[in-house]
Amino acid sequence: MPGKILLTGGAGYIGSHTYAALSDAGYEVAILDNFANARPDVPDRLEVITGKPVTVHRCDVLDAAGLARVFASDRFDAVVHFAAKKAVGESQQKPLDYIETNCTGLVNLLKAMRAAGVFRLVFSSSATVYAPTLDWPIPEDAPLGYASTYAYTKLMGEQIIQQVAAADDRWRFGILRYFNPAGAHPSALIGEDPSDIPNNLMPYIAKVATGELPSLNVFGNDYPTPDGTGVRDYIHVVDLARGHVLSLDALMRGDGSHIVNLGTGQGYSVMEMLAAYARACGRALPHTVAPRRAGDLACYFGDPRKAERLLGFKAERDLDDMCATSWAWVSRRSNMRQG
Ligand code: WQD
């Protein structure tokens, strides 16, 4: 059944891991990326991982003519769409940039797909489309809302796709709502590679472990959680990538459209993550308790049962594997930079 897939944002963190998983599943994959948030040598590293040449289209989703050229260059069976801006904090400072890239970019992509007769789409969405809630685990039919421009663009993206599909039954889509991606590829050749100081917990801890940052600020230890620190549903990026393969498989075999959580259904606290990372890197990690971060919720994890029922998806990797693969990746990258 595999086919030919266009992977937008395929040089990014989750995109590159999904490339490896799709290739491993027998799909022929081409990457479309503007490399605004990806190292230029990621395709070379993917070539080492997969043992196959990597096709790359350097293109921005705001370049409608460029998109038309890409779809004219080959016959794609489906698109997996990652290309978007994703920093929650930055989205509050640059709302128009986020709405343009994440929403206008999506419209451009949908128009290029329609013109080329490509009607299967897997869309990278986010658990941030859920309205703040105290009712965990969060099911897909929980109330939706947004607390940032980033979340707004993801919710709008979901709505745009559903409106388009409601008007034309040739469309089939998989909307995948991620909780907290973490970890790296077992090869240690690809992983999360933030160019500036990370906002997210694991990449920040990773930089403390390598000594690039002095200490972790624990944003609050007075939450109503077992150890007082924030609890989140961390999912290994390799499990997350597998979820995209299963979503695409479903669309390729003619199943209907679906909207599912990709999470583990289990929450881990900041202190549990810190302890797991200390086990992975073999040393205690300096940290201090700081005030709560504005907008943070105490606890947030998803109900994974619908993805298991519809797609056969179940996360297999635990927090220790997320930390071990992250540590192997950042150690190798740190050595490469020193070398
Ligand atoms: C996790 C926990 C923090 C950093 C974000 C975005 C969204 C989504 C997932 C894509 C919280 C605590 C963090 C630090 C800390 N991704 N923390 N010190 O906020 O749950 O979700 O990533 O859609 O982009 O919503 O993730 O990793 O920032 O925070 O104590 O230096 O770690 O308070 O409890 P978050 P996070």
Side-chain angles (χ1 to χ4, degrees):
M1 169 180 58
K4 189 168 286 188
I5 310 305
L6 182 65
L7 189 60
T8 78
Y13 172 42
I14 303 171
S16 56
H17 287 80
T18 301
Y19 181 96
L22 286 169
S23 176
D24 191 45
Y27 285 99
E28 199 180 330
V29 190
I31 288 174
L32 181 148
D33 208 306
N34 67 359
F35 289 88
N37 191 27
R39 308 269 179 198
D41 67 335
V42 167
D44 300 333
R45 289 184 260 139
L46 286 172
E47 199 154 323
V48 174
I49 291 171
T50 62
K52 292 179 264 183
V54 177
T55 302
V56 178
H57 299 282
R58 184 178 283 269
C59 181
D60 191 306
V61 288
L62 294 179
D63 175 3
L67 286 173
R69 281 194 298 275
V70 171
F71 279 94
S73 73
D74 213 333
R75 179 87 192 88
F76 297 105
D77 298 297
V79 173
V80 180
H81 181 43
F82 288 105
K85 291 179 180 290
K86 61 150 193 165
V88 172
E90 185 188 50
S91 78
Q92 301 298 82
Q93 271 73 50
K94 302 176 179 176
L96 261 183
D97 292 359
Y98 272 68
I99 292 165
E100 185 178 45
T101 294
N102 295 6
C103 298
T104 306
L106 172 64
V107 170
N108 287 349
L109 177 68
L110 293 171
K111 289 168 73 175
M113 288 174 69
R114 183 183 58 185
V118 181
F119 292 101
R120 297 184 189 95
L121 172 69
V122 173
F123 178 67
S124 165
S125 189
S126 166
T128 51
V129 303
Y130 291 116
T133 177
L134 295 177
D135 188 12
W136 320 298
I138 305 172
E140 285 82 356
D141 58 1
L144 303 180
Y146 51 88
S148 69
T149 302
Y150 165 78
Y152 169 83
T153 66
K154 285 299 176 182
L155 184 52
M156 286 304 295
E158 292 192 7
Q159 310 275 328
I160 289 166
I161 291 164
Q162 293 175 78
Q163 286 299 107
V164 168
D168 180 343
D169 61 10
R170 289 176 294 179
W171 288 96
R172 292 285 182 280
F173 60 80
I175 290 176
L176 310 182
R177 293 171 178 166
Y178 312 158
F179 280 76
N180 291 54
H185 193 266
S187 67
L189 288 171
I190 53 175
E192 195 160 12
D193 201 354
S195 48
D196 48 11
I197 295 181
N199 292 310
N200 293 143
L201 181 63
M202 182 175 274
Y204 197 104
I205 291 177
K207 284 185 180 278
V208 174
T210 58
E212 293 169 78
L213 290 170
S215 170
L216 172 74
N217 288 315
V218 177
F219 295 145
N221 68 348
D222 57 352
Y223 284 104
T225 60
D227 65 16
T229 63
V231 170
R232 296 292 185 274
D233 182 341
Y234 298 100
I235 178 170
H236 199 295
V237 65
V238 171
D239 282 333
L240 195 61
R242 179 86 189 119
H244 289 73
V245 175
L246 293 172
S247 175
L248 189 58
D249 286 348
L251 300 183
M252 294 297 287
R253 64 174 175 258
D255 289 9
S257 298
H258 49 270
I259 301 176
V260 295
N261 291 333
L262 291 187
T264 66
Q266 176 174 359
Y268 294 105
S269 74
V270 176
M271 295 313 290
E272 285 173 315
M273 169 84 79
L274 206 50
Y277 217 100
R279 288 193 294 274
C281 69
R283 69 181 183 92
L285 294 171
H287 60 281
T288 52
V289 178
R292 292 183 177 188
R293 181 172 64 178
D296 273 356
L297 299 171
C299 184
Y300 211 79
F301 55 94
D303 183 337
R305 288 176 296 180
K306 186 179 174 188
E308 185 173 1
R309 188 174 74 250
L310 291 186
L311 307 179
F313 173 76
K314 192 163 179 57
E316 296 164 356
R317 293 161 180 82
D318 63 13
L319 188 63
D320 281 322
D321 191 53
M322 292 179 220
C323 294
T325 51
S326 168
W327 176 238
W329 152 247
V330 295
S331 310
R332 185 179 178 283
R333 183 195 58 188
S334 179
N335 295 337
M336 275 190 324
R337 285 184 178 156
Q338 285 160 17

